[in-house]
Amino acid sequence: MDCVFCSIIAGQLPARFVHQDDRAVAFLDINPLRRGHTLVVPRLHVVDLTSDGAAEAVASLAPALQAVSRLLIERLPADGISLLQANRAAGGQEVFHLHFHLVPRWSGDRPLNDWTKDPEAGTALDAIHLQLSGGTS
Ligand code: AMP
């Protein structure tokens, strides 16, 4: 399978899932911008917002976007969330399967302007996954 997100959805690649429903999945970004950075992905393979089927794919993400947002606020707990989304290489897209980034934010944290990854957040992926799955860390 050429698409890494389709492989995750098919169970052929591992991921730290925090939400799954009949039309969408959400899992921790392997290279996070902040602790708890989560990708919300439609099960349907659509490349970007300009693709045929993108409107339906975006609509199918609404319940997952709300569920994950609540998880991040309640269980991390985060103070806020930034929603990011990239289309095509020039727009910063690296994985060509439509997805939204939910990035937890804390009062007074540094600006998110340049999408700079946070190596420290990347070392805590398993602990964050446990926290968002209902356990403690
Ligand atoms: P974008 O630039 O919007 O296409 O973002 C793609 C995101 O997918 C990046 O933040 C990557 O860190 C993330 N990513 C790539 N491969 C994986 C993977 N196997 N599991 C989790 N996140 C991934």
Side-chain angles (χ1 to χ4, degrees):
M1 200 172 285
D2 283 346
C3 171
V4 63
F5 288 174
C6 284
S7 296
I8 288 172
I9 289 164
Q12 294 165 355
L13 276 180
R16 296 174 177 87
F17 289 100
V18 300
H19 173 90
Q20 299 191 58
D21 62 43
D22 58 341
R23 297 204 290 166
V25 302
F27 49 87
L28 294 183
D29 193 299
I30 203 164
N31 198 4
L33 293 163
R34 292 289 187 280
R35 282 196 299 123
H37 176 175
T38 299
L39 302 174
V40 180
V41 184
R43 290 185 185 275
L44 180 70
H45 181 89
V46 170
V47 173
D48 65 37
L49 286 175
T50 69
S51 305
D52 290 344
E56 293 79 3
V58 170
S60 78
L61 296 180
L65 286 169
Q66 184 180 38
V68 175
S69 296
R70 286 179 166 169
L71 275 180
L72 297 175
I73 293 293
E74 290 166 11
R75 292 200 182 159
L76 283 178
D79 296 330
I81 297 164
S82 295
L83 176 66
L84 307 177
Q85 201 271 327
N87 299 277
R88 303 193 179 189
Q93 189 172 10
E94 294 172 355
V95 176
F96 295 93
H97 180 134
L98 181 81
H99 55 280
F100 286 79
H101 300 247
L102 288 176
V103 184
R105 305 298 304 280
W106 285 270
S107 302
D109 71 5
R110 64 187 163 78
L112 204 52
N113 302 339
D114 59 359
W115 292 43
T116 301
K117 307 289 183 180
D118 179 350
E120 199 174 308
T123 64
L125 284 168
D126 286 331
I128 295 294
H129 186 222
L130 188 63
Q131 219 170 328
L132 292 173
S133 305
T136 52
S137 63

